[in-house]
Amino acid sequence: MKDFFLLFFNVLLTVIGQILFKQGMNLVGRIDNVRNALPKLTQAFLNPYILSGIAIYGFTTLVWLVILSRVKLSIAYPMLSSGYVLSILFSWLLFKESIPRVRVIGALVICIGVYLVAQGD
């Protein structure tokens, strides 16, 4: 049970990292073409949200190494797909993104798949 908590913690931190990346890029603005890519990416890498997301990703990598020392890869890696479900939920809650019904159905299918993978051992 402790291993699954660790997996969920890793997934949650990864999603938080993505939320920070999205918030940072909302502030930086859209990258429309190659000409404005370098200045926008430079601005992004100086953005505190982006830097925080990168720091969280670094930490989740360390957590992932702990997980891999304890859990079979064939179980651990598919569990990361639960992050898709959380990202849909947080996108709707925090960024007010519309979530079409087909995406909700897809998220439910992912949840069923994660459950089945977890039952495999």
Side-chain angles (χ1 to χ4, degrees):
M1 191 61 157
K2 198 183 311 183
D3 295 336
F4 285 104
F5 173 76
L6 205 54
L7 271 163
F8 179 75
F9 178 67
N10 192 60
V11 168
L12 184 61
L13 283 179
T14 301
V15 172
I16 290 169
Q18 286 297 319
I19 290 166
L20 291 168
F21 286 161
K22 178 61 177 166
Q23 181 61 32
M25 290 311 294
N26 283 347
L27 296 173
V28 168
R30 183 181 175 102
I31 298 174
D32 287 323
N33 53 51
V34 175
R35 188 177 314 151
N36 78 347
L38 187 59
K40 290 281 188 176
L41 289 173
T42 301
Q43 187 181 355
F45 280 107
L46 297 174
N47 183 291
Y49 289 104
I50 301 293
L51 292 173
S52 297
I54 291 169
I56 286 177
Y57 263 49
F59 180 70
T60 60
T61 299
L62 299 176
V63 174
W64 183 244
L65 294 175
V66 172
I67 291 167
L68 289 178
S69 76
R70 299 165 65 157
V71 179
K72 291 179 182 178
L73 181 62
S74 62
I75 293 174
Y77 195 66
M79 295 298 201
L80 296 181
S81 62
S82 60
Y84 297 131
V85 177
L86 291 177
S87 68
I88 291 170
L89 175 64
F90 286 125
S91 297
W92 175 70
L93 288 171
L94 300 173
F95 300 115
K96 307 301 183 214
E97 293 181 9
S98 65
I99 310 299
R101 184 174 295 144
V102 69
R103 199 169 301 151
V104 172
I105 293 168
L108 291 172
V109 169
I110 289 170
C111 289
I112 292 167
V114 167
Y115 174 78
L116 291 173
V117 167
Q119 297 305 306
D121 224 17

Short mmCIF file of all heavy atoms in Angstrom, two decimals, residues 34-77:
data_model
loop_
_atom_site.label_atom_id
_atom_site.label_comp_id
_atom_site.label_asym_id
_atom_site.label_seq_id
_atom_site.Cartn_x
_atom_site.Cartn_y
_atom_site.Cartn_z
N VAL A 34 8.93 30.39 -35.49
CA VAL A 34 10.34 30.20 -35.15
C VAL A 34 10.97 31.52 -34.74
O VAL A 34 11.82 31.57 -33.85
CB VAL A 34 11.10 29.57 -36.35
CG1 VAL A 34 12.58 29.49 -36.08
CG2 VAL A 34 10.53 28.21 -36.68
N ARG A 35 10.53 32.60 -35.34
CA ARG A 35 11.12 33.91 -35.07
C ARG A 35 10.95 34.35 -33.61
O ARG A 35 11.85 34.92 -33.02
CB ARG A 35 10.51 34.96 -36.00
CG ARG A 35 11.24 36.30 -35.91
CD ARG A 35 10.71 37.33 -36.86
NE ARG A 35 10.54 36.76 -38.19
CZ ARG A 35 9.64 37.18 -39.07
NH1 ARG A 35 8.85 38.18 -38.78
NH2 ARG A 35 9.54 36.62 -40.25
N ASN A 36 9.78 34.08 -33.05
CA ASN A 36 9.59 34.51 -31.66
C ASN A 36 9.83 33.39 -30.66
O ASN A 36 9.65 33.58 -29.46
CB ASN A 36 8.21 35.16 -31.47
CG ASN A 36 7.07 34.17 -31.37
OD1 ASN A 36 7.20 32.99 -31.66
ND2 ASN A 36 5.92 34.66 -30.97
N ALA A 37 10.24 32.21 -31.13
CA ALA A 37 10.43 31.07 -30.22
C ALA A 37 11.56 31.31 -29.23
O ALA A 37 11.38 31.10 -28.03
CB ALA A 37 10.69 29.80 -31.03
N LEU A 38 12.72 31.75 -29.71
CA LEU A 38 13.87 31.92 -28.81
C LEU A 38 13.61 32.98 -27.73
O LEU A 38 13.84 32.71 -26.55
CB LEU A 38 15.13 32.23 -29.61
CG LEU A 38 16.42 32.25 -28.78
CD1 LEU A 38 16.66 30.92 -28.08
CD2 LEU A 38 17.61 32.59 -29.67
N PRO A 39 13.10 34.17 -28.08
CA PRO A 39 12.83 35.14 -27.02
C PRO A 39 11.76 34.66 -26.03
O PRO A 39 11.89 34.87 -24.82
CB PRO A 39 12.34 36.39 -27.77
CG PRO A 39 12.72 36.21 -29.18
CD PRO A 39 12.90 34.75 -29.42
N LYS A 40 10.73 34.00 -26.55
CA LYS A 40 9.67 33.50 -25.66
C LYS A 40 10.18 32.38 -24.76
O LYS A 40 9.84 32.32 -23.58
CB LYS A 40 8.47 33.01 -26.47
CG LYS A 40 7.69 34.08 -27.16
CD LYS A 40 6.77 34.77 -26.20
CE LYS A 40 5.85 35.71 -26.96
NZ LYS A 40 4.89 36.35 -26.10
N LEU A 41 10.99 31.48 -25.31
CA LEU A 41 11.54 30.40 -24.48
C LEU A 41 12.52 30.93 -23.45
O LEU A 41 12.56 30.43 -22.32
CB LEU A 41 12.19 29.34 -25.37
CG LEU A 41 11.21 28.49 -26.18
CD1 LEU A 41 11.95 27.59 -27.15
CD2 LEU A 41 10.30 27.69 -25.28
N THR A 42 13.29 31.95 -23.82
CA THR A 42 14.19 32.59 -22.85
C THR A 42 13.36 33.20 -21.72
O THR A 42 13.69 33.02 -20.54
CB THR A 42 15.04 33.67 -23.53
OG1 THR A 42 15.79 33.06 -24.58
CG2 THR A 42 15.98 34.34 -22.54
N GLN A 43 12.29 33.88 -22.09
CA GLN A 43 11.39 34.46 -21.10
C GLN A 43 10.77 33.36 -20.23
O GLN A 43 10.65 33.52 -19.01
CB GLN A 43 10.29 35.26 -21.81
CG GLN A 43 9.40 36.04 -20.91
CD GLN A 43 8.32 36.78 -21.70
OE1 GLN A 43 8.31 36.78 -22.94
NE2 GLN A 43 7.41 37.41 -21.00
N ALA A 44 10.44 32.24 -20.85
CA ALA A 44 9.83 31.13 -20.11
C ALA A 44 10.80 30.58 -19.07
O ALA A 44 10.41 30.33 -17.93
CB ALA A 44 9.40 30.02 -21.07
N PHE A 45 12.06 30.41 -19.45
CA PHE A 45 13.02 29.83 -18.52
C PHE A 45 13.41 30.78 -17.39
O PHE A 45 14.05 30.38 -16.43
CB PHE A 45 14.26 29.33 -19.26
CG PHE A 45 14.04 27.99 -19.89
CD1 PHE A 45 13.90 27.87 -21.26
CD2 PHE A 45 13.94 26.85 -19.11
CE1 PHE A 45 13.67 26.63 -21.84
CE2 PHE A 45 13.71 25.61 -19.68
CZ PHE A 45 13.57 25.50 -21.05
N LEU A 46 12.98 32.02 -17.49
CA LEU A 46 13.19 32.97 -16.39
C LEU A 46 11.93 33.15 -15.55
O LEU A 46 11.95 33.85 -14.55
CB LEU A 46 13.65 34.33 -16.96
CG LEU A 46 14.98 34.30 -17.72
CD1 LEU A 46 15.24 35.66 -18.37
CD2 LEU A 46 16.12 33.90 -16.80
N ASN A 47 10.86 32.51 -15.96
CA ASN A 47 9.58 32.63 -15.28
C ASN A 47 9.57 31.75 -14.02
O ASN A 47 9.92 30.58 -14.08
CB ASN A 47 8.47 32.19 -16.25
CG ASN A 47 7.10 32.34 -15.67
OD1 ASN A 47 6.73 31.60 -14.76
ND2 ASN A 47 6.33 33.27 -16.20
N PRO A 48 9.16 32.30 -12.89
CA PRO A 48 9.17 31.52 -11.64
C PRO A 48 8.26 30.29 -11.68
O PRO A 48 8.57 29.28 -11.04
CB PRO A 48 8.72 32.50 -10.56
CG PRO A 48 8.35 33.76 -11.24
CD PRO A 48 8.77 33.69 -12.67
N TYR A 49 7.16 30.35 -12.42
CA TYR A 49 6.29 29.18 -12.54
C TYR A 49 7.00 28.05 -13.28
O TYR A 49 6.94 26.89 -12.87
CB TYR A 49 4.98 29.52 -13.26
CG TYR A 49 4.05 30.37 -12.43
CD1 TYR A 49 3.89 31.73 -12.69
CD2 TYR A 49 3.30 29.81 -11.39
CE1 TYR A 49 3.04 32.51 -11.94
CE2 TYR A 49 2.44 30.58 -10.63
CZ TYR A 49 2.31 31.93 -10.91
OH TYR A 49 1.46 32.70 -10.16
N ILE A 50 7.67 28.40 -14.37
CA ILE A 50 8.40 27.40 -15.15
C ILE A 50 9.54 26.83 -14.31
O ILE A 50 9.74 25.61 -14.27
CB ILE A 50 8.95 28.02 -16.46
CG1 ILE A 50 7.81 28.59 -17.32
CG2 ILE A 50 9.79 27.00 -17.23
CD1 ILE A 50 6.85 27.58 -17.88
N LEU A 51 10.28 27.69 -13.64
CA LEU A 51 11.39 27.22 -12.80
C LEU A 51 10.89 26.31 -11.68
O LEU A 51 11.53 25.30 -11.37
CB LEU A 51 12.16 28.41 -12.23
CG LEU A 51 12.93 29.24 -13.25
CD1 LEU A 51 13.51 30.49 -12.60
CD2 LEU A 51 14.02 28.41 -13.91
N SER A 52 9.75 26.64 -11.11
CA SER A 52 9.17 25.78 -10.06
C SER A 52 8.76 24.43 -10.64
O SER A 52 8.96 23.38 -10.01
CB SER A 52 7.95 26.46 -9.43
OG SER A 52 8.33 27.65 -8.80
N GLY A 53 8.17 24.44 -11.83
CA GLY A 53 7.79 23.19 -12.49
C GLY A 53 9.00 22.32 -12.77
O GLY A 53 8.96 21.10 -12.57
N ILE A 54 10.08 22.93 -13.22
CA ILE A 54 11.31 22.18 -13.48
C ILE A 54 11.86 21.58 -12.17
O ILE A 54 12.29 20.42 -12.14
CB ILE A 54 12.36 23.08 -14.16
CG1 ILE A 54 11.91 23.40 -15.59
CG2 ILE A 54 13.74 22.41 -14.16
CD1 ILE A 54 12.74 24.48 -16.27
N ALA A 55 11.81 22.35 -11.09
CA ALA A 55 12.28 21.85 -9.80
C ALA A 55 11.43 20.66 -9.34
O ALA A 55 11.97 19.65 -8.86
CB ALA A 55 12.24 22.96 -8.76
N ILE A 56 10.13 20.76 -9.51
CA ILE A 56 9.25 19.66 -9.13
C ILE A 56 9.55 18.43 -9.99
O ILE A 56 9.59 17.31 -9.49
CB ILE A 56 7.77 20.07 -9.23
CG1 ILE A 56 7.43 21.00 -8.06
CG2 ILE A 56 6.85 18.85 -9.26
CD1 ILE A 56 6.03 21.55 -8.08
N TYR A 57 9.79 18.63 -11.29
CA TYR A 57 10.13 17.50 -12.15
C TYR A 57 11.43 16.84 -11.70
O TYR A 57 11.55 15.62 -11.75
CB TYR A 57 10.22 17.96 -13.60
CG TYR A 57 8.95 17.70 -14.38
CD1 TYR A 57 7.71 18.07 -13.88
CD2 TYR A 57 8.99 17.07 -15.61
CE1 TYR A 57 6.56 17.84 -14.57
CE2 TYR A 57 7.83 16.83 -16.32
CZ TYR A 57 6.61 17.20 -15.80
OH TYR A 57 5.48 16.95 -16.49
N GLY A 58 12.39 17.64 -11.27
CA GLY A 58 13.64 17.07 -10.75
C GLY A 58 13.37 16.21 -9.53
O GLY A 58 13.90 15.10 -9.40
N PHE A 59 12.53 16.72 -8.63
CA PHE A 59 12.20 15.97 -7.42
C PHE A 59 11.43 14.69 -7.76
O PHE A 59 11.69 13.63 -7.18
CB PHE A 59 11.40 16.85 -6.46
CG PHE A 59 11.02 16.14 -5.19
CD1 PHE A 59 11.98 15.83 -4.24
CD2 PHE A 59 9.71 15.78 -4.94
CE1 PHE A 59 11.65 15.16 -3.07
CE2 PHE A 59 9.35 15.12 -3.77
CZ PHE A 59 10.32 14.81 -2.84
N THR A 60 10.47 14.79 -8.69
CA THR A 60 9.69 13.60 -9.05
C THR A 60 10.58 12.53 -9.69
O THR A 60 10.28 11.35 -9.57
CB THR A 60 8.49 13.91 -9.97
OG1 THR A 60 8.96 14.50 -11.19
CG2 THR A 60 7.49 14.81 -9.29
N THR A 61 11.64 12.95 -10.36
CA THR A 61 12.58 11.98 -10.91
C THR A 61 13.23 11.18 -9.79
O THR A 61 13.37 9.95 -9.89
CB THR A 61 13.65 12.68 -11.77
OG1 THR A 61 13.00 13.36 -12.85
CG2 THR A 61 14.66 11.69 -12.31
N LEU A 62 13.59 11.85 -8.71
CA LEU A 62 14.17 11.15 -7.56
C LEU A 62 13.16 10.20 -6.92
O LEU A 62 13.49 9.06 -6.58
CB LEU A 62 14.70 12.16 -6.53
CG LEU A 62 15.81 13.09 -7.02
CD1 LEU A 62 16.16 14.10 -5.94
CD2 LEU A 62 17.02 12.30 -7.46
N VAL A 63 11.91 10.67 -6.79
CA VAL A 63 10.85 9.81 -6.24
C VAL A 63 10.64 8.61 -7.16
O VAL A 63 10.46 7.48 -6.69
CB VAL A 63 9.54 10.61 -6.05
CG1 VAL A 63 8.40 9.69 -5.63
CG2 VAL A 63 9.72 11.72 -5.03
N TRP A 64 10.68 8.86 -8.48
CA TRP A 64 10.49 7.78 -9.45
C TRP A 64 11.57 6.70 -9.29
O TRP A 64 11.28 5.50 -9.38
CB TRP A 64 10.48 8.34 -10.86
CG TRP A 64 10.22 7.33 -11.93
CD1 TRP A 64 11.07 6.94 -12.91
CD2 TRP A 64 9.03 6.55 -12.11
NE1 TRP A 64 10.50 5.97 -13.68
CE2 TRP A 64 9.24 5.71 -13.22
CE3 TRP A 64 7.82 6.48 -11.43
CZ2 TRP A 64 8.27 4.83 -13.67
CZ3 TRP A 64 6.86 5.58 -11.88
CH2 TRP A 64 7.09 4.78 -12.99
N LEU A 65 12.79 7.11 -9.04
CA LEU A 65 13.86 6.13 -8.83
C LEU A 65 13.60 5.27 -7.60
O LEU A 65 13.85 4.06 -7.62
CB LEU A 65 15.21 6.85 -8.72
CG LEU A 65 15.70 7.55 -9.99
CD1 LEU A 65 16.98 8.32 -9.71
CD2 LEU A 65 15.86 6.58 -11.14
N VAL A 66 13.07 5.88 -6.55
CA VAL A 66 12.69 5.11 -5.36
C VAL A 66 11.59 4.11 -5.71
O VAL A 66 11.65 2.93 -5.34
CB VAL A 66 12.24 6.05 -4.21
CG1 VAL A 66 11.66 5.25 -3.05
CG2 VAL A 66 13.39 6.93 -3.76
N ILE A 67 10.60 4.58 -6.46
CA ILE A 67 9.50 3.70 -6.87
C ILE A 67 10.03 2.52 -7.68
O ILE A 67 9.65 1.37 -7.43
CB ILE A 67 8.44 4.50 -7.68
CG1 ILE A 67 7.71 5.49 -6.77
CG2 ILE A 67 7.46 3.57 -8.38
CD1 ILE A 67 6.90 6.53 -7.50
N LEU A 68 10.90 2.80 -8.64
CA LEU A 68 11.43 1.73 -9.49
C LEU A 68 12.24 0.71 -8.69
O LEU A 68 12.35 -0.45 -9.10
CB LEU A 68 12.27 2.30 -10.62
CG LEU A 68 11.48 3.03 -11.71
CD1 LEU A 68 12.43 3.59 -12.75
CD2 LEU A 68 10.43 2.13 -12.34
N SER A 69 12.80 1.13 -7.57
CA SER A 69 13.53 0.18 -6.74
C SER A 69 12.59 -0.74 -5.96
O SER A 69 13.03 -1.76 -5.44
CB SER A 69 14.45 0.93 -5.75
OG SER A 69 13.70 1.47 -4.68
N ARG A 70 11.29 -0.39 -5.95
CA ARG A 70 10.35 -1.14 -5.11
C ARG A 70 9.22 -1.81 -5.88
O ARG A 70 8.59 -2.75 -5.37
CB ARG A 70 9.73 -0.18 -4.10
CG ARG A 70 10.77 0.44 -3.18
CD ARG A 70 10.26 1.62 -2.44
NE ARG A 70 9.20 1.25 -1.51
CZ ARG A 70 8.86 1.95 -0.45
NH1 ARG A 70 9.50 3.07 -0.17
NH2 ARG A 70 7.90 1.56 0.34
N VAL A 71 8.91 -1.30 -7.08
CA VAL A 71 7.72 -1.76 -7.81
C VAL A 71 8.15 -2.23 -9.20
O VAL A 71 9.03 -1.62 -9.82
CB VAL A 71 6.69 -0.60 -7.94
CG1 VAL A 71 5.46 -1.03 -8.71
CG2 VAL A 71 6.29 -0.07 -6.57
N LYS A 72 7.49 -3.25 -9.70
CA LYS A 72 7.76 -3.73 -11.06
C LYS A 72 7.44 -2.62 -12.06
O LYS A 72 6.43 -1.92 -11.93
CB LYS A 72 6.90 -4.95 -11.38
CG LYS A 72 7.25 -6.19 -10.61
CD LYS A 72 6.33 -7.32 -11.00
CE LYS A 72 6.64 -8.57 -10.21
NZ LYS A 72 5.71 -9.65 -10.55
N LEU A 73 8.29 -2.46 -13.06
CA LEU A 73 8.07 -1.45 -14.09
C LEU A 73 6.75 -1.66 -14.82
O LEU A 73 6.06 -0.70 -15.16
CB LEU A 73 9.24 -1.45 -15.09
CG LEU A 73 9.17 -0.41 -16.21
CD1 LEU A 73 9.19 1.00 -15.63
CD2 LEU A 73 10.32 -0.62 -17.18
N SER A 74 6.39 -2.92 -15.02
CA SER A 74 5.15 -3.23 -15.74
C SER A 74 3.90 -2.81 -14.97
O SER A 74 2.81 -2.74 -15.53
CB SER A 74 5.08 -4.73 -16.06
OG SER A 74 5.06 -5.48 -14.86
N ILE A 75 4.06 -2.53 -13.71
CA ILE A 75 2.96 -2.00 -12.89
C ILE A 75 3.12 -0.50 -12.71
O ILE A 75 2.18 0.28 -12.89
CB ILE A 75 2.88 -2.70 -11.52
CG1 ILE A 75 2.47 -4.16 -11.72
CG2 ILE A 75 1.91 -2.00 -10.60
CD1 ILE A 75 2.50 -4.99 -10.47
N ALA A 76 4.33 -0.07 -12.36
CA ALA A 76 4.57 1.35 -12.03
C ALA A 76 4.31 2.28 -13.22
O ALA A 76 3.61 3.29 -13.07
CB ALA A 76 6.00 1.53 -11.52
N TYR A 77 4.86 1.95 -14.37
CA TYR A 77 4.77 2.89 -15.49
C TYR A 77 3.34 3.09 -15.98
O TYR A 77 2.92 4.24 -16.19
CB TYR A 77 5.69 2.45 -16.63
CG TYR A 77 5.91 3.55 -17.64
CD1 TYR A 77 6.58 4.72 -17.29
CD2 TYR A 77 5.42 3.44 -18.93
CE1 TYR A 77 6.77 5.74 -18.21
CE2 TYR A 77 5.60 4.45 -19.85
CZ TYR A 77 6.28 5.59 -19.47
OH TYR A 77 6.45 6.60 -20.38
#
